[in-house]
Every structure is written in C-alpha cells, then in structure tokens.
Amino acid sequence: MSNILLKLQEEFDENPFVSFDSSGQGVSSVYDDTWDYTARNEILRTVSFTAIPEIHRANIQRYVGKLLKYNMDKSVDNHVSVSLVQHWQGTLNRISKYWGKSDFSLLSNNSEWRKFKSSIKGHYAQASLDKIATTINTLNAAELLDRYVKFSELRVLANDKESKQYIAMPSTIHAKVLQRVIDTVETYHPHRLEISYAMSKGIKLRDSELANKLSKLHVSNLSVYKAAALNKRVRRQANKLGEAIPEYRFDQAGKWVNDILKDCLMCVDLFSGARRTELLSFNHNSYHVIAGVPVLQGETYKANKGVAKTETWVTHPIALKALELAYDMTQYARDIHKAVLNDAFDNGDITKDAYQRGIRQLSSAFVSINMGMDFYGKVRESYLLYINNGLNLDKFGIVATQEEVDEFNFLNPDWYGEMAVGGSLPKLSLHDLRRSFAVFLVRNRLGNAQTIKYQFKHKNINMSHWYANYAQLARAEDLLMDESLMIEANEAMEELAVEAFDDIYNGSENLSGGGSKDIMKEKEDRLGRGETIVMSREEIKALVKNGSKSIVLLPTGGYCTNSECERLCSIESFAAEDKPCSHLVITDKSAKGMAAQRKRLIKAFTDMNDMGDYAYSRILVGYKEKICHIEHTLKDHKIPFEPFTQQIKVLA
C-alpha cells in the first residue's frame, strides 16, 4: 500500500462521514456500499459502490471521498454535486477494471503508466477516455498522484465505436407522432377525473377481494394459480367501472394509464424540447401565459451543481391539456403514495429528508402508477414515472416511405441505413424528441405558417404559427432561457448546412437554379485540375461555422443559399416570380422530390378541373404554371416524364 493510500485510510478512520442530513448529522460513511445524499434535494439521491469488485471497492471509496472533501474545501459554496461524485466513482472503476489495480497514486510511476495505457487500449470510446484524463488530472490537483494528462495522449487508445447522436425524425413522421399524441390528449382530457376514480375503485376492489380470499383460506399469501384467478375476476369487475371511458382497461400495474401518461409526456416534450428531468418537474400549475406567449416553468438541474433552479420554455396551449390529463388521472396513485409515506414517517421508518423528497416528487404530473402487489404499500426509491422501457414506438404505426428514409439518412448520418422502406424508426427516446424539436425549429426559422402547415401536415394552422414564430417570440419576450437547447439547435443548423453543401458540391451530378452557375463552374475548375472532390466536409464545416456560407432547405425542393431571403420560394403550389432566384440551387435529390410533388399537383389539377367550376380557374392556372416550371427542372436533371398537356376546361 502506497503512502498516499495509508494517509487516506488514517484520515477516514478518524472522520468517516461523506454525507449528512439536513440537520448536519452524518448519514453515510466512506465504506458504506451506498452514499445517501437525500438531504441535498438534487436529482441524484445516492452513489452506489455495490457494482465495484470488493478487491477495489474500499480503495475507490477512499479516493472518491478525498476528491469530494478536496473539491468541497476549494468550492466557494462548499458544495459538490452528487452527479460529480458519481462521475468519479464510475471513472475510477473504469481505470481499475483493465489495469487491475486501484491504488491510483501508482500512476505517477512511468512504468506503471505505460502498463495502464496498454491495458485500456481499444476498450473505451474517446468520450470515456476524456473522462479518465479529466479524473486523473483532478487526482493530480488534489495531490493524490503526480501526473498531468493531455486528452490527445489517451485518445489514440480509443476503439472504433463512437456514440451515436440522438435521432431527428423526418418531418412527416414527426407530424404523425405529433398528431397521435395530440389525439390521445384530446380524447382523454375530458375523462381525466373519471379515470382516476375508476382506477381508485378498482384498486380498492382488489384489496377487498384479496383480504376476503386470504381470510377464507386462512393463509397470508395466495398461490400463483389462485392469485391469477382472483386478478382476472377483479379485472372483469373493475373494467365495468370505466365503461364510459373510451377503451378503458383496468390492471393493477396501470399499463393502460401508463400508455396515456407517456403520450402526455411526449406531447409536452414535442412542444417544449425539455429534458427528461425537466419534464418530470412539470405539473398542471407549470403552464403560464406571459405577454401573450404560452410558457412552461419547471426545474432544471443542468449546469447548476445538481441543484434545482427555475427555468422557462416557450410552449403551445396543448401542453396545458396534456399536463392536466397526466396529473388528474394519476391522482389515485398520488393519494396512495402519500398515505404510505405519511405512515412510514409517522412510524419512524424513513427520515424527514426522505419524506420531503417523496412529497416533492409527488407534485409532478408524471408519477409511478404501478400498484401491483410487489410494489403496493411500500416506500419507493423514486415516485417519478419510469420511462427507460421506451415510448410506445410500435403504437405509432410508422411505415416509412422512400422519401422519409432519404430524409432520415440526411438528418442522421450516424444512423445511415438503419431505417428501411416499410420499416419504422430504429428507436425513439425523449432526447430524440428533443433533437427533433431543435432540428425542426431550425428548419422552420425562415418559413411562413402556410409553408410549415404543408411541411408538417398540420391540421391546425395555429400549430404552424407556433413553430414558425418560436424563435421570434422567444427573442421578443426574452424567453430563450434553455441555452443548451439553443446550442443544440445551432449545431443542428450547422449539420444540416454541411450535409446540404456536401450534396451540392460533391453528391449531385446535375445542378439547376439561379445559384447553380457559379457552383458548376467551380466544380468544373477543380475537377479539371484532377481533384476528386470539390470541397471537403471539413472545408464546408469551417465556412458554415464562420458564417461565410448559409443555406435553407425549402419544402418545395432545392436550397436557398441566402439566409436573409424574403422571397416566396417556399410557397408550395405556385411559382410566384418569373425571374430565377440567384440564390436557389436544386440538386438531383431535390429534383426527385420535385418530381413527386409534380405528380401530386397533377392529381390536384385533374380533380379540381373535373368540377368545371369557373371559380377555381385562377387556382388551376397557378397549378399549371407550377407543373410546367417543375418540368423545366426535371429536364435539367435528366429525369424522364410525360409532358403535362391538360387544358383548363372552363377556359377552353
């Protein structure tokens, strides 16, 4: 054992406590398997060491304990977040896993350092190696070892596996998911109190039937067979309690209610872009209208040492209905949880800090509703909705088209090829909804409400107004509070721009539009000099980042390379101006999309033309003009088509 480790052992023998309750009394000692930080009221409550092999556990606990004390002493407010303590615990465990040692002061020795680097080579991704380097440097700062590490020294040891970015949904799939969760909210919002009442009566019926059965048989537990029979009988009777509720189904675990609860959660996320922990802080009182702008106010723990602070998100009025539905229909579970907490606290089974934490969590609209006998009547680690088992992706009935697959690949290069025609999204998480929110916020920054209504297939144009005006409203009312979401939006903008310019410069054989001439000339010059690509992605990214290049994807097909443009290129059905735009660039991929758009226009023209109504003649003229305009583009891109020759009947 090294001298440093011996000193740590002596230090913690004298003062072993590493966590305290709200009155300052010690709660957890350094050698406890779990360190309890309930009194801090952070999003993380505990740090567990049970997964660490016993041979390394005590050493890692000593080093983590010392880092905690060192950083608390150094901190102005004498505070270190629980998440940071958990980070040290996890990283030191990674170091010892392949190195085989946990006396980290030995890493000061050059020979031992070489052994360590050799042992971890190929086992971790770059992000994990960066965390290891940071933790070693923290140990150095605390004078627990004598070595400072540059990220580059460990990054060369990374494996080829890279963590994939969260996905962004194609626009039509985004609209389908949006419409599904809105339909759920609109359907069940009027029944929210009835749902809670029916579930409450069903649970009481279960309790009564179970008590009678146990008394009759003179046993304390039922066999699996008898329990199943009782549950079936209870379920049949309890379903009748909710006959007025559409498709109501009672079960003790609350699966039917849980599915609705997840749709409510998704609805709020799709109209706010909040993180999971932030969403779980919302309830029916979180919705406000400030200067005419609907907002949600809740708690965030990001970049605040794990301590909650109030944050604001611009939202849509549908979020209020979703939160009211979620809160009111789960009131039965909230009542049961509070009764259990009160009894446990009165009996001295839980501390005041644990009791207050549970009560705070139960103010959320999204609480746990599983009342199965394995959980019923017991104090829980957390009362918040558990959502790690997915977001009901299979219930959205997604059957991807070729256009949706192309857009998915475009938006998600990390997931290229993992969505197939006729298939669904490879996954769907709350953070995927968050990234989708950021991407679509970016893509709609320049659109008008009619454009976005078409692009998202919205039934309600108010939704489109909200999307189009989000950034403008937020700036006007000083509500751009979620800085990291805006950073994510800016990153999404850069990614989309890089992909678009890569398509223009390197991916498309043919280009058209008023802005294509200079690009085609540049391509010819570079390729004529023997270069294999016109501009590398790195070059493009640098130009996008410094503002030299900007681009907007138009829903009508093609790209606008002028971010300040105020023309009407994005109007779907009509070619509003005859003069070609000097900023419009159309690629082969865009032209294929326009070919599909042309087919839709021809169908619309034919259906309206057959009505023989003179009132539609001006619209038909616009349709015909647009169809012919697209045909010129298809010729430029060598896409075959049958020329449109129909005449407007009422004008013939």
Side-chain angles (χ1 to χ4, degrees):
M1 185 179 288
S2 68
N3 289 334
I4 287 178
L5 201 53
L6 282 170
K7 288 180 181 178
L8 290 179
Q9 185 173 338
E10 292 172 2
E11 181 178 340
F12 286 111
D13 283 345
E14 291 180 12
N15 183 15
F17 287 110
V18 289
S19 76
F20 303 85
D21 64 18
S22 53
S23 64
Q25 297 298 310
V27 174
S28 302
S29 71
V30 70
Y31 298 115
D32 287 345
D33 286 346
T34 301
W35 295 357
D36 187 344
Y37 292 96
T38 300
R40 291 192 181 188
N41 192 28
E42 297 182 31
I43 191 64
L44 291 177
R45 187 176 71 85
T46 61
V47 177
S48 175
F49 293 84
T50 55
I52 298 175
E54 196 168 343
I55 190 174
H56 299 304
R57 190 179 303 164
N59 282 354
I60 289 177
Q61 287 172 319
R62 293 180 188 116
Y63 275 99
V64 173
K66 183 62 177 178
L67 287 178
L68 172 61
K69 290 188 175 183
Y70 168 78
N71 282 275
M72 285 179 66
D73 292 341
K74 190 179 68 169
S75 173
V76 175
D77 55 3
N78 198 38
H79 178 80
V80 174
S81 70
V82 182
S83 61
L84 184 55
V85 178
Q86 190 179 73
H87 163 79
W88 291 329
Q89 175 263 330
T91 306
L92 292 180
N93 189 28
R94 287 192 189 98
I95 293 174
S96 66
K97 182 176 180 180
Y98 295 104
W99 180 38
K101 299 178 183 179
S102 51
D103 187 349
F104 303 103
S105 64
L106 298 177
L107 293 175
S108 304
N109 181 278
N110 289 333
S111 175
E112 202 64 57
W113 177 246
R114 287 193 294 270
K115 290 178 184 177
F116 163 69
K117 289 199 296 183
S118 177
S119 71
I120 65 169
K121 185 176 182 180
H123 286 293
Y124 295 118
Q126 180 178 304
S128 295
L129 293 174
D130 287 351
K131 291 178 182 178
I132 288 174
T134 300
T135 301
I136 289 173
N137 292 339
T138 305
L139 291 169
N140 172 270
E143 298 183 350
L144 296 173
L145 57 73
D146 185 19
R147 180 171 301 279
Y148 185 86
V149 190
K150 292 182 178 179
F151 283 6
S152 57
E153 185 176 358
L154 295 186
R155 283 179 176 178
V156 296
L157 307 174
N159 58 31
D160 295 332
K161 297 177 183 177
E162 293 185 7
S163 56
K164 293 182 178 180
Q165 186 177 30
Y166 291 101
I167 67 172
M169 295 180 287
S171 57
T172 49
I173 292 178
H174 183 274
K176 187 171 187 176
V177 170
L178 196 64
Q179 194 60 58
R180 152 65 196 273
V181 297
I182 289 173
D183 288 345
T184 297
V185 171
E186 295 288 3
T187 298
Y188 291 105
H189 183 266
H191 300 281
R192 60 194 188 279
L193 299 178
E194 298 169 60
I195 293 171
S196 180
Y197 177 80
M199 289 298 296
S200 177
K201 297 293 284 185
I203 296 298
K204 289 177 181 176
L205 178 64
R206 188 274 311 272
D207 291 349
S208 175
E209 290 286 320
L210 179 60
N212 290 338
K213 193 70 173 177
L214 293 174
S215 176
K216 183 178 179 180
L217 297 175
H218 304 290
V219 295
S220 58
N221 290 296
L222 295 181
S223 66
V224 174
Y225 173 76
K226 283 185 169 60
L230 182 141
N231 290 339
K232 185 176 181 181
R233 185 170 66 254
V234 168
R235 188 163 54 247
R236 186 168 57 248
Q237 295 177 55
N239 281 340
K240 295 177 182 178
L241 298 169
E243 286 181 328
I245 304 168
E247 300 180 11
Y248 176 76
R249 293 290 181 272
F250 173 84
D251 70 278
Q252 299 174 48
K255 185 179 183 304
W256 182 83
V257 177
N258 200 61
D259 286 347
I260 298 175
L261 201 55
K262 284 184 179 179
D263 278 3
C264 291
L265 188 72
M266 292 177 68
C267 184
V268 178
D269 198 13
L270 284 161
F271 284 105
S272 68
R275 299 179 187 85
R276 182 184 67 86
T277 53
E278 295 159 351
L279 291 166
L280 295 178
S281 76
F282 294 151
N283 60 32
H284 57 311
N285 294 319
S286 299
Y287 180 88
H288 306 278
V289 177
I290 301 176
V293 181
V295 299
L296 292 170
Q297 291 183 331
E299 294 180 343
T300 185
Y301 296 84
K302 192 72 174 177
N304 197 41
K305 292 188 176 180
V307 179
K309 66 175 180 178
T310 301
E311 187 65 277
T312 304
W313 294 261
V314 177
T315 190
H316 184 277
I318 191 67
L320 175 60
K321 282 189 173 183
L323 290 171
E324 287 178 339
L325 171 57
Y327 190 91
D328 290 341
M329 76 173 178
T330 59
Q331 187 58 45
Y332 75 95
R334 203 171 282 105
D335 291 340
I336 293 171
H337 292 319
K338 285 183 178 179
V340 172
L341 271 173
N342 286 330
D343 286 345
F345 183 55
D346 290 342
N347 294 332
D349 297 331
I350 59 174
T351 65
K352 181 180 179 181
D353 292 325
Y355 172 77
Q356 291 178 339
R357 179 185 178 87
I359 294 297
R360 280 192 298 269
Q361 289 184 339
L362 288 173
S363 68
S364 169
F366 305 102
V367 297
S368 172
I369 54 174
N370 190 338
M371 295 298 158
M373 295 311 297
D374 290 340
F375 303 93
Y376 187 61
K378 299 175 182 177
V379 174
R380 308 193 183 188
E381 284 290 314
S382 174
Y383 290 93
L384 297 173
L385 176 66
Y386 182 75
I387 46 179
N388 287 359
N389 56 344
L391 291 175
N392 305 336
L393 177 58
D394 57 326
K395 295 191 176 182
F396 291 99
I398 297 169
V399 181
T401 64
Q402 183 62 59
E403 290 78 11
E404 288 168 341
V405 170
D406 290 343
E407 187 178 355
F408 176 85
N409 289 334
F410 172 73
L411 293 173
N412 306 286
D414 287 354
W415 295 85
Y416 190 94
E418 296 198 34
M419 182 179 183
V421 175
S424 185
L425 295 168
K427 71 182 188 76
L428 188 62
S429 69
L430 288 175
H431 212 109
D432 294 325
L433 300 184
R434 179 177 167 85
R435 180 166 182 256
S436 295
F437 179 92
V439 168
F440 289 124
L441 184 153
V442 166
R443 296 182 75 178
N444 292 300
R445 201 171 268 180
L446 293 180
N448 58 40
Q450 289 288 357
T451 300
I452 300 166
K453 184 175 185 294
Y454 167 75
Q455 179 77 356
F456 283 173
K457 310 298 185 290
H458 288 166
K459 293 180 180 179
N460 183 349
I461 198 168
N462 289 332
M463 243 184 258
S464 307
H465 279 299
W466 176 76
Y467 267 100
N469 295 330
Y470 176 93
Q472 181 182 349
L473 280 173
R475 280 192 292 270
E477 302 300 336
D478 195 25
L479 294 170
L480 277 181
M481 302 292 189
D482 193 346
E483 183 179 351
S484 66
L485 180 60
M486 299 312 298
I487 290 172
E488 195 158 347
N490 289 332
E491 289 175 351
M493 179 182 287
E494 290 178 1
E495 291 166 14
L496 289 168
V498 171
E499 290 295 327
F501 279 118
D502 190 41
D503 181 29
I504 289 171
Y505 282 103
N506 304 312
S508 187
E509 185 177 343
N510 304 291
L511 295 175
S512 62
S516 65
K517 293 180 181 178
D518 291 341
I519 295 173
M520 288 298 292
K521 185 176 184 304
E522 185 179 356
K523 288 180 72 169
E524 289 173 5
D525 291 344
R526 290 208 179 193
L527 295 175
R529 295 197 298 266
E531 298 181 25
T532 55
I533 59 172
V534 178
M535 192 179 297
S536 70
R537 290 179 66 90
E538 288 71 21
E539 288 179 277
I540 294 171
K541 192 165 188 176
L543 292 171
V544 169
K545 275 185 173 294
N546 66 26
S548 298
K549 285 188 177 293
S550 61
I551 199 163
V552 176
L553 174 64
L554 301 174
T556 53
Y559 303 99
C560 175
T561 55
N562 178 12
S563 63
E564 303 301 323
C565 186
E566 296 182 357
R567 287 167 56 100
L568 301 177
C569 305
S570 56
I571 295 294
E572 205 293 83
S573 300
F574 305 101
E577 302 179 34
D578 294 329
K579 184 180 178 181
C581 176
S582 60
H583 301 290
L584 176 65
V585 179
I586 300 171
T587 64
D588 289 335
K589 185 189 296 183
S590 304
K592 290 177 183 177
M594 295 174 75
Q597 182 190 131
R598 174 180 170 273
K599 290 179 181 178
R600 293 194 298 269
L601 286 170
I602 290 174
K603 184 179 185 306
F605 180 97
T606 303
D607 292 344
M608 193 177 293
N609 200 22
D610 288 343
M611 295 179 186
D613 191 333
Y614 185 82
Y616 293 133
S617 60
R618 294 187 66 182
I619 297 175
L620 290 169
V621 169
Y623 277 173
K624 187 169 183 177
E625 185 179 327
K626 181 68 174 180
I627 291 166
C628 294
H629 178 78
I630 291 176
E631 287 182 353
H632 288 300
T633 300
L634 300 185
K635 287 178 184 177
D636 291 339
H637 292 265
K638 303 178 178 60
I639 297 175
F641 63 91
E642 289 291 330
F644 181 73
T645 58
Q646 290 188 48
Q647 299 299 315
I648 300 173
K649 294 178 180 179
V650 295
L651 299 180

